[in-house]
Amino acid sequence: MRGAPLIGLPMLLTAGYFAFKWTLAGLVNAERLLALGGMYHWSAMTLLALGWSIWIVRQKDSTKSFWGDFKQLTKPLVIYGITASCAVWAWNHAVALEATELRKALRLAQIEERTASEKAFTAFVESQKMETSEKFPDRESYRKNATSQVDWMLSGGVTLVLSLITYLFAALLLSLCSTVLLHQIWGVAAS
């Protein structure tokens, strides 16, 4: 598998992600849709690793070395990991921007409700069941820190970087497992 399939399969799977999310967008809530999107990407990467491994076995395309086959299996998975990360960013910050903004507004409203008055803030601190309430920041500091955390966590850059780290790690893990299976179970280096 060279050239077009190396790029084409990850792109096709990424298009499948958008179709999957688009289909489920009105049927499930945003948190569940986020989890289902992650499951889609993991399943797609697993199928891509399995398909690429089968191709290596059937076409006798092994490099006969562990490192060479690892690199060969890693390429399509890393390409998919990058496109999957871009797709996650595009979905959350372009296609479903209103849903992302709504989640952000709801979290900011919770912070505002908890810090609206000293009484509300005291009740919130007591509900946290901390050993001592002295460890908790004052109301204004809590509001400022919590608001900046929400802004940071729901920003496009953080979404892209965290998904990229996750999917690249998954790509390396799946490549390693597939290479071990190729060499230890299927014995491609010996054939």
Side-chain angles (χ1 to χ4, degrees):
M1 276 191 178
R2 303 279 187 251
L6 186 63
I7 301 294
L9 284 173
M11 292 301 201
L12 183 66
L13 290 170
T14 303
Y17 167 76
F18 280 108
F20 178 75
K21 293 279 270 198
W22 197 275
T23 302
L24 294 177
L27 303 174
V28 297
N29 65 27
E31 283 75 24
R32 180 162 292 180
L33 191 60
L34 179 73
L36 290 172
M39 288 172 48
Y40 174 90
H41 286 308
W42 178 258
S43 300
M45 290 180 92
T46 303
L47 289 173
L48 192 57
L50 179 66
W52 216 262
S53 297
I54 290 170
W55 175 265
I56 288 173
V57 170
R58 287 193 177 195
Q59 298 299 318
K60 298 185 185 340
D61 197 25
S62 174
T63 63
K64 306 294 186 206
S65 75
F66 188 89
W67 181 246
D69 287 343
F70 176 77
K71 289 192 303 186
Q72 187 173 342
L73 282 167
T74 302
K75 285 178 189 175
L77 294 175
V78 165
I79 291 170
Y80 181 73
I82 292 168
T83 60
S85 300
C86 293
V88 168
W89 177 87
W91 180 265
N92 288 312
H93 297 283
V95 176
L97 180 61
E98 291 176 8
T100 302
E101 292 298 323
L102 178 61
R103 275 189 309 206
K104 184 176 178 179
L106 288 173
R107 290 189 177 135
L108 290 174
Q110 286 176 337
I111 294 166
E112 184 60 36
E113 179 183 331
R114 292 173 182 159
T115 59
S117 67
E118 259 326 303
K119 183 179 178 181
F121 185 68
T122 303
F124 168 69
V125 170
E126 289 173 358
S127 71
Q128 298 303 304
K129 300 179 183 174
M130 296 185 74
E131 293 176 8
T132 59
S133 59
E134 293 92 32
K135 292 182 181 179
F136 219 80
D138 64 282
R139 182 170 64 120
E140 284 305 313
S141 296
Y142 173 79
R143 179 188 307 200
K144 182 180 176 186
N145 291 340
T147 301
S148 65
Q149 285 176 354
V150 168
D151 290 336
W152 182 78
M153 280 304 295
L154 293 175
S155 69
V158 171
T159 300
L160 182 64
V161 169
L162 289 180
S163 60
L164 188 61
I165 290 169
T166 301
Y167 294 132
L168 290 180
F169 177 74
L172 292 174
L173 181 66
L174 283 169
S175 296
L176 181 64
C177 291
S178 297
T179 307
V180 167
L181 287 173
L182 280 173
H183 284 259
Q184 299 300 318
I185 306 298
W186 287 337
V188 296
S191 57

